[in-house]
Amino acid sequence: MDGDSRLHSGENEGRSFFLGWVLGKLRNAVVMTLKRIRQRLLQVIIVAFVVFLLLWIAAFLYGSFYFSYMPQATFSTPVHFYYRTDCESPYSFPCSHPVANISLIRNNRHVLTFGQAYRMTLQLEMPDSPVNQDLGMFMIRTACFSRDGEQVASSARSTGQLLSASSSRFSMLRYRSDLLRQLGTVLFLPAFLTGVTEQKQVLEVELFSEYIEDPYSPSVTGMIEILSNKVQIYSSELLIHAHFTGIRYILFNFPLISALVGVSSNFSFLSLLFILSYLRLLFRVGQGPAQIRRATGRKGNF
């Protein structure tokens, strides 16, 4: 009986020892697995943070380049004409031509960029009145002045050089016969009475086809003068459009593709610099112990 009890106790001790050994191995495996998962997770977080940081820097660099290199594409401002009426004349007509001064500075910055070609047009909203119909061709003179009052550029255009949507040129208001006017008045009478539309024409006068700003004498003001004291105008507006060429043309007309190319190029360059810096740091860290051993070995030889 004693032998059997000893045999059973030995078997129990062996089983418990084996079970403890298995549990210890399993615990060590679980601990090592958790450590590896933690290290991998930490590495993934660090890599994701570095990639996000490099992407943000690449996008910031491209945005800074775009907003510093690309000028304003369009600029529009209302034109308010004035004229003198203090002349010695028994008639009620003004004694000077309509003149307007325009500021070419917005938010303390020049509207026009140096070296960029611009197209300037004057949009006139004129009533289709007998006075304007009998006026015929009239001239519009434009001049740009620098801060010192020096005239930078000038242009004199007649309404015979007006541009339409088909690039046709007109010398006056579009002609319509009396019968056509009467029919149009009767047809659009409800719209005229309610104020939805008016009897008017909109003309566009090209002042400068390719105006390039002088970097040594930038223009700050512009003067527009209509050489007729009988012209009738509802409102007017100056339109400035930038004529982009080369890289600016691609950046303006293909903004999404340009942004993708620019950001990816910056990201690739920054990633290459980061990888080279990281490898250089690893190379220095790897050479540290070897250099220490060599230094200690040389001291021991002495």
Side-chain angles (χ1 to χ4, degrees), residues 69-71 115-117 210 242-253:
Y69 182 72
M70 286 296 295
Q116 175 62 46
E210 288 189 3
H243 181 64
F244 294 129
T245 57
I247 299 179
R248 287 176 176 172
Y249 178 84
I250 298 175
L251 293 176
F252 181 76
N253 291 278

Side-chain angles (χ1 to χ4, degrees), residues 233-259:
I233 301 173
Y234 282 144
S235 63
S236 59
E237 187 178 11
L238 178 66
L239 305 176
I240 301 177
H241 299 275
H243 181 64
F244 294 129
T245 57
I247 299 179
R248 287 176 176 172
Y249 178 84
I250 298 175
L251 293 176
F252 181 76
N253 291 278
F254 306 97
L256 183 60
I257 297 177
S258 302

Side-chain angles (χ1 to χ4, degrees), residues 4-25:
D4 294 336
S5 61
R6 290 177 183 176
L7 181 61
H8 286 296
S9 62
E11 290 179 355
N12 292 331
E13 290 179 359
R15 290 177 181 176
S16 61
F17 177 78
F18 179 75
L19 184 60
W21 180 79
V22 171
L23 291 177
K25 289 290 185 179

Side-chain angles (χ1 to χ4, degrees), residues 22-190:
V22 171
L23 291 177
K25 289 290 185 179
L26 183 61
R27 185 183 60 183
N28 293 334
V30 171
V31 170
M32 293 299 296
T33 304
L34 291 177
K35 286 184 178 180
R36 291 177 182 177
I37 293 174
R38 192 183 308 169
Q39 291 178 355
R40 294 296 183 185
L41 184 61
L42 183 61
Q43 291 176 357
V44 169
I45 293 175
I46 293 175
V47 171
F49 176 76
V50 171
V51 170
F52 175 77
L53 181 62
L54 293 179
L55 280 175
W56 188 88
I57 296 175
F60 176 77
L61 292 176
Y62 176 78
S64 302
F65 165 76
Y66 184 87
F67 287 106
S68 62
Y69 182 72
M70 286 296 295
Q72 188 175 356
T74 58
F75 173 77
S76 62
T77 180
V79 180
H80 304 286
F81 289 97
Y82 65 92
Y83 49 82
R84 290 177 50 242
T85 58
D86 56 349
C87 53
E88 298 179 0
S89 175
Y91 304 101
S92 60
F93 294 107
C95 55
S96 68
H97 300 150
V99 180
N101 293 323
I102 303 169
S103 176
L104 298 178
I105 295 179
R106 176 176 289 182
N107 298 328
N108 296 326
R109 295 183 61 183
H110 291 275
V111 174
L112 307 179
T113 303
F114 307 143
Q116 175 62 46
Y118 291 92
R119 179 176 177 265
M120 298 185 185
T121 59
L122 179 65
Q123 190 176 77
L124 298 174
E125 185 178 345
M126 304 174 61
D128 195 4
S129 61
V131 175
N132 284 336
Q133 290 291 341
D134 298 337
L135 185 63
M137 182 182 295
F138 57 90
M139 298 288 294
I140 297 179
R141 184 169 58 189
T142 309
C144 298
F145 297 90
S146 62
R147 190 177 297 275
D148 299 333
E150 180 183 357
Q151 182 172 328
V152 179
S154 63
S155 172
R157 297 293 176 92
S158 67
T159 55
Q161 295 174 318
L162 298 179
L163 295 179
S164 65
S166 60
S167 298
S168 300
R169 299 180 183 270
F170 300 88
S171 60
M172 58 185 69
L173 293 179
R174 297 172 180 175
Y175 173 75
R176 292 191 303 170
S177 63
D178 296 336
L179 179 59
L180 184 60
R181 291 181 185 177
Q182 294 175 4
L183 291 177
T185 303
V186 173
L187 181 61
F188 294 99
L189 184 60

